[in-house]
Amino acid sequence: GFGSSVVDSVRITSGSLNLENAGGSGTIGLELFFASDSAGTYTAPPALSIPATAVTGAQTVPVLVSGDLSGAVDSLFRQETVYMRIAAVGINGGATPVTGVGVVTSLVIRVVIQDKVF
């Protein structure tokens, strides 16, 4: 951990994922959760919500991910370990369920820390 250091900013500078839909149609969005332990990722508010993307039939839909997480997770990044959970949020108005997978292809999180030596 970084002890008494100050976290200046936490940003996803470059991220991408593929929604690989195998069948059905609807929308799929994502939410990113951060916490100091794995259980906390289920009770923490989302640090970043990625808007819903329409999917239909068998297709792969690329989604770009970026955002400023500074206000939501600053204090967490001073700790030795940080847990992250990615959850899908979907709507399916049809009779055929949306089936498939989400594949994170890249995720770069830039953490800028102002070191406090004294």
Side-chain angles (χ1 to χ4, degrees):
F2 291 98
S4 62
S5 299
V6 176
V7 176
D8 181 63
S9 63
V10 180
R11 290 187 174 87
I12 297 176
T13 56
S14 172
S16 60
L17 57 99
N18 289 332
L19 300 176
E20 297 177 0
N21 192 37
S25 62
T27 62
I28 300 173
L30 296 171
E31 293 181 327
L32 279 68
F33 301 87
F34 292 85
S36 59
D37 59 27
S38 60
T41 63
Y42 290 93
T43 58
L48 181 67
S49 294
I50 300 162
T53 300
V55 294
T56 184
Q59 66 177 28
T60 298
V61 179
V63 176
L64 297 177
V65 180
S66 66
D68 187 350
L69 310 174
S70 297
V73 298
D74 282 0
S75 62
L76 290 173
F77 279 87
R78 289 187 311 199
Q79 299 179 22
E80 192 171 315
T81 304
V82 176
Y83 290 82
M84 181 176 86
R85 178 173 68 94
I86 300 172
V89 178
I91 297 173
N92 175 7
T96 305
V98 174
T99 57
V101 296
V103 179
V104 177
T105 55
S106 71
L107 186 62
V108 177
I109 300 176
R110 182 174 184 243
V111 180
V112 177
I113 296 177
Q114 185 177 28
D115 194 15
K116 282 193 164 182
V117 179
F118 301 102

